[in-house]
Amino acid sequence: MSNLRYKCEELLRHADINVSGARPWDVKIYNENFCNRIFSEGSLALGEGYMDGWWDVESVDEFICKILSSDISNKIKPYKLLALSIQAKLTNLQNLSRAVQVADSHYNLGNRIFEIMLDKRLTYTCGYWRDAADLDAAQEAKLDLVCRKLHLEEGQHILDIGCGWGSFAKFAAENYGVKVTGITISEEQAHYAKENCKGLPVDILVQDYRLLEGKFDHIVSLGMFEHVGNKNHRAFFQTANQCLKDEGLLLLHTIGGLETNVTPDPWIHKYIFPNGQIPSLAEVATASEKLFLVEDLHNFGAYYDKTLMAWYNNFNAGWDELKADYSERFYRMWKFYLQACAGAFRARDLQLWQFVLSKHGVRGVYERVS
C-alpha cells in the first residue's frame, strides 16, 4: 500500500468511513491513482473520480455528510487548485460577459431534465417542508411563504430577479392578484416561463439584473444571489434599492456559507455552476449596508437536504427517459451533484437564508411569518 493510499484511508476512518466496508457510506476504490489525485486536486478529483468510475459508494449524500462533519477536508491542501483561488480574488468571475456562462452550461441543458427532476411548478430552490408531505406541497408552501412575508396586495407590481421557469410569478399572479416582471439570463427558462404564465399579468425578460430600470412595490429573488459574486454584491443591492419603492420590501432567498470564501468549489465551478459563489452573512451585511436594514432573517437550510434528495429520486427514476440524450458520465455527474449538495446541507455546512429587507424600516414591528 502506498503512503498516500494509507493516509487517505486514515483520513476516511477519522470520518467513520471504511474502504471496502459494508455500510452505505463506505467507499470502494477501483483506481489506485485516485488517492494521489485527491491530495493534489481535492474536491475536483473527488467529483471527477466519481464521474469516471474510479470510486463508488452506495450513499454519496451520507458519505459527503460524514466528510464535512468530520472536517477532514481541511486537512487536504490541493496545490493544483491555487490558480482558481488567485483568479477568483483578482478577477470578476461574474461580470456581464461571464454571467451568461451559467445559463449556457446549466439552465439551458434542456427543460425536460428539469421537468422530470423538479416539482410540477419547476421551482429550482429549497422547499418549505414544515407541514408538507411531498415535493409539490413543499414548494407551494415556500412560494406562499414568500408572498405572505412580502404582505402582497392585489394590484401591486412585483419584480422577480432570477425568475427561473416562472414558478413564483405564476403563483403570485394567480393567488395574490399581483403583476410580476421576471428576469432571467436563460433563453430556455424565459421561453418556458412565457408559455407557463400566458394569460396572466406577467412579463418575462431576458436580461442582467444590472440593467434593470423602473420602480416596483416589492422585489423577490429566489436562488439567484449565489450567481452574483462578492465583487458584485454591492451592485445587486444598489440596483434593488433603486428599483424598490420606499415602502416596499426585498425578499432575498439564498444559499449561505459558514464563512467568507471567494473561491468557488472547483468541481461545482467546472461542471455545475460556473463562476458561482456562496455568500456569507458578513458579505450580505457589508454589501447591503446603508441601503437596506434587516427586518427578518429565517434559516431553513435543513429543508434543502430533503429537497435535493427528492430531486435526486425524481432524476434517478426518470433516467430511462433522459439517457438517450445524455451520457452515462453525465448521469454520474448529476447524481453526484444532487447527493453531494444534500450531504452538505445535512452536515449544516451550507445554509438557506430568507432575508426580508426594507429601505427605511417598516412602520411598527415586522411580524415574523412562518
Side-chain angles (χ1 to χ4, degrees):
M1 181 185 297
S2 69
N3 287 337
L4 283 180
R5 170 69 181 248
Y6 178 78
K7 186 177 179 181
C8 185
E9 292 194 12
E10 280 291 297
L11 285 173
L12 289 171
R13 278 194 288 271
H14 182 70
D16 188 33
I17 298 169
N18 294 326
V19 175
S20 299
R23 299 169 300 178
W25 56 86
D26 287 334
V27 65
K28 295 175 175 60
I29 298 175
Y30 300 121
N31 190 311
E32 286 302 313
N33 291 322
F34 174 64
C35 292
N36 297 352
R37 286 189 62 194
I38 284 291
F39 285 99
S40 65
E41 298 177 2
S43 65
L44 179 61
L46 190 70
E48 287 186 338
Y50 183 82
M51 291 164 63
D52 294 334
W54 284 26
W55 67 277
D56 214 336
V57 66
E58 181 181 339
S59 177
V60 171
D61 49 302
E62 193 60 22
F63 171 81
I64 294 295
C65 178
K66 286 185 171 293
I67 284 181
L68 293 175
S69 297
S70 69
D71 204 35
I72 65 171
S73 58
N74 289 329
K75 295 179 170 61
I76 299 174
K77 306 298 179 184
Y79 64 88
K80 286 189 177 181
L81 299 181
L82 287 176
L84 177 59
S85 179
I86 293 170
Q87 182 188 28
K89 291 175 181 176
L90 297 182
T91 64
N92 186 347
L93 293 177
Q94 303 84 13
N95 61 27
L96 275 167
S97 62
R98 287 177 175 270
V100 297
Q101 291 178 359
V102 69
D104 293 337
S105 65
H106 191 85
Y107 296 111
N108 291 340
L109 278 170
N111 288 331
R112 189 58 189 146
I113 188 172
F114 296 104
E115 288 174 330
I116 286 173
M117 184 178 83
L118 304 179
D119 65 303
K120 64 183 180 183
R121 296 180 181 274
L122 268 68
T123 313
Y124 201 16
T125 50
C126 182
Y128 192 59
W129 291 84
R130 189 185 66 172
D131 301 313
D134 57 44
L135 182 61
D136 285 338
Q139 293 295 14
E140 185 161 313
K142 187 269 303 297
L143 295 173
D144 192 60
L145 177 69
V146 170
C147 293
R148 289 185 291 113
K149 283 184 176 182
L150 289 172
H151 303 304
L152 295 190
E153 296 178 7
E154 187 173 352
Q156 290 181 329
H157 191 182
I158 315 303
L159 172 63
D160 184 357
I161 303 178
C163 65
W165 292 272
S167 63
F168 169 81
K170 184 175 183 181
F171 181 89
E174 288 179 333
N175 293 277
Y176 285 83
V178 297
K179 177 182 178 181
V180 183
T181 295
I183 66 165
T184 174
I185 57 171
S186 167
E187 295 280 357
E188 288 277 335
Q189 286 185 332
H191 177 75
Y192 186 99
K194 288 175 182 178
E195 290 296 313
N196 192 31
C197 298
K198 187 174 290 185
L200 294 169
V202 173
D203 293 321
I204 304 295
L205 307 175
V206 179
Q207 72 172 76
D208 190 276
Y209 67 92
R210 284 161 282 206
L211 304 177
L212 279 165
E213 295 178 346
K215 287 285 186 180
F216 301 86
D217 292 293
H218 300 294
I219 300 175
V220 61
S221 184
L222 306 179
M224 175 270 182
F225 196 68
E226 302 90 330
H227 301 304
V228 171
N230 69 307
K231 289 182 172 61
N232 309 294
H233 286 162
R234 187 67 176 177
F236 176 92
F237 284 113
Q238 286 171 335
T239 300
N241 181 277
Q242 292 164 9
C243 291
L244 184 64
K245 292 181 180 179
D246 285 346
E247 300 301 317
L249 296 173
L250 163 63
L251 188 141
L252 180 67
H253 171 118
T254 180
I255 295 171
L258 296 174
E259 59 183 358
T260 300
N261 183 7
V262 300
T263 305
D265 176 86
W267 187 82
I268 291 288
H269 169 72
K270 183 174 180 179
Y271 291 99
I272 308 298
F273 297 118
N275 308 319
Q277 188 227 333
I278 303 300
S280 67
L281 273 177
E283 288 177 306
V284 175
T286 299
S288 61
E289 192 173 88
K290 295 187 178 180
L291 294 171
F292 289 98
L293 63 87
V294 178
E295 299 288 355
D296 187 56
L297 174 55
H298 187 183
N299 184 347
F300 53 92
Y303 288 155
Y304 229 141
D305 178 11
K306 292 187 70 171
T307 303
L308 282 153
M309 291 307 295
W311 292 346
Y312 166 73
N313 290 331
N314 288 345
F315 170 75
N316 209 36
W319 176 246
D320 281 346
E321 183 178 337
L322 295 168
K323 63 184 180 182
D325 298 318
Y326 300 93
S327 67
E328 181 68 19
R329 193 168 190 264
F330 177 91
Y331 174 58
R332 291 183 65 84
M333 177 187 79
W334 210 258
K335 285 173 59 180
F336 187 80
Y337 152 53
L338 295 172
Q339 291 183 93
C341 289
F345 281 100
R346 192 176 307 163
R348 299 310 304 275
D349 189 66
L350 292 175
Q351 316 303 313
L352 188 285
W353 298 319
Q354 274 193 357
F355 296 86
V356 177
L357 307 170
S358 68
K359 292 171 71 169
H360 308 294
V362 300
R363 295 175 182 175
V365 176
Y366 179 87
E367 298 292 346
R368 160 65 68 86
V369 174
S370 61

